[in-house]
Amino acid sequence: MKTPFRIAVLLNGLASPNTAGIKASFETAIASASSLNSDASPPTITFYDPIIAQIHPDPSKYDLIVLSGGTADPMGSDPWVLKLQNYLRTTVKDFPKQKIVGICWGHQTTCISFGGSVASMEGAAEIGVTKISLTAEGKKMFPFASEGALQLHEFHAREVKTPAKGFVALAEGKQSFLNEENTILTFQGHPELNTDLARTLLANSPAYMGIDGERKEALVEKVGMDHDGVKIWSRILKWVRE
């Protein structure tokens, strides 16, 4: 294990007024998780821009690579999306022990990169802290989960339809997967989100998510509920060291 513990986060959304808050949410959640684990020092985090700069982290320099959420169509043909998916496949091939976490869009593009499919949700977008029921494998992965479920921030209008090849479901509804090699862990939800950022994202939710004024008001309380984000990151950090 490299010292100090190093994490690369690919920010898969265009720069916006929310970017600083998104970076801070990762830093705060991961630092809190490290403290929960009684680590000597928190991990160092480096952020990458795969969209405009199209620079990807060198896997040999990081203990964990994180693919963040985003708004592009992961099933589309944007050059940067295809380049990122190729980077993911190449990293798995050339660095077979590299630990990778996919979050929301990262969860979806990981699925596509390894033979799965994603499509728009048939109903309304899923937003707010949501109870995610775990499978038997998920309960083993997250032993802290109360009543066999995680409370996790959601913010998405697309979902996995066909799981990637060689991935095991950790949660019902295609919400979380772990590959058979135990090196790639994905979540449809956002363990990094906090209440303030979630409320900001809700207030500025794009039109394609179909959230009108009345529904936004109803979701304000849901995005402020208690969640397991820090506990999930605590487990992720332990998993990376396994």
Side-chain angles (χ1 to χ4, degrees):
M1 181 65 65
K2 307 174 185 69
T3 303
F5 194 67
R6 293 179 291 183
I7 299 175
V9 177
L10 287 87
L11 294 175
N12 299 305
L14 288 168
S16 75
N18 294 323
T19 300
I22 292 170
K23 289 182 177 180
S25 71
F26 275 104
E27 292 168 339
T28 301
I30 292 172
S32 296
S34 179
S35 178
L36 186 63
N37 290 351
S38 300
D39 294 337
S41 59
T44 61
I45 303 174
T46 304
F47 294 97
Y48 285 82
D49 169 17
I51 303 176
I52 303 302
Q54 294 192 17
I55 297 175
H56 303 125
D58 177 352
S60 68
K61 296 181 178 179
Y62 294 96
D63 303 294
L64 174 65
I65 296 173
V66 179
L67 307 180
S68 82
T71 58
D73 183 356
M75 292 286 287
S77 57
D78 286 357
W80 77 266
V81 172
L82 299 180
K83 184 176 180 179
L84 177 56
Q85 291 171 352
N86 185 63
Y87 164 78
L88 184 56
R89 288 188 290 266
T90 300
T91 296
V92 169
K93 175 178 175 289
D94 295 343
F95 298 87
K97 295 183 180 180
Q98 177 65 56
K99 294 295 180 72
I100 298 169
V101 166
I103 294 172
C104 195
W105 188 90
H107 162 83
Q108 296 170 6
T109 207
T110 299
C111 171
I112 292 164
S113 298
F114 297 101
S117 66
V118 171
S120 295
M121 296 175 65
E122 296 178 1
E126 190 168 33
I127 296 176
V129 177
T130 303
K131 183 178 180 178
I132 307 301
S133 296
L134 297 173
T135 62
E137 291 302 315
K139 292 174 184 176
K140 294 177 186 176
M141 184 68 178
F142 305 104
F144 64 84
S146 175
E147 300 179 358
L150 298 175
Q151 292 291 120
L152 188 59
H153 273 287
E154 301 278 345
F155 200 93
H156 63 104
R158 299 185 183 95
E159 62 186 357
V160 170
K161 293 297 184 180
T162 306
K165 298 175 183 177
F167 281 68
V168 176
L170 299 183
E172 304 294 341
K174 305 180 181 68
Q175 287 276 344
S176 179
F177 293 99
L178 178 68
N179 69 339
E180 293 174 348
E181 292 76 19
N182 192 38
T183 57
I184 306 177
L185 177 61
T186 71
F187 303 90
Q188 180 58 75
H190 291 264
E192 84 285 3
L193 272 188
N194 56 58
T195 299
D196 289 343
L197 179 58
R199 284 178 174 159
T200 297
L201 295 176
L202 173 62
N204 299 304
S205 58
Y208 75 82
M209 297 195 78
I211 307 300
D212 58 23
E214 185 175 342
R215 182 153 190 254
K216 280 186 181 181
E217 291 180 8
L219 288 170
V220 169
E221 182 176 352
K222 190 177 181 184
V223 299
M225 293 170 57
D226 290 339
H227 61 94
D228 294 318
V230 171
K231 291 180 181 179
I232 292 170
W233 278 112
S234 169
R235 180 66 185 97
I236 290 171
L237 296 180
K238 292 176 181 177
W239 168 73
V240 172
R241 293 183 172 94
E242 292 175 354

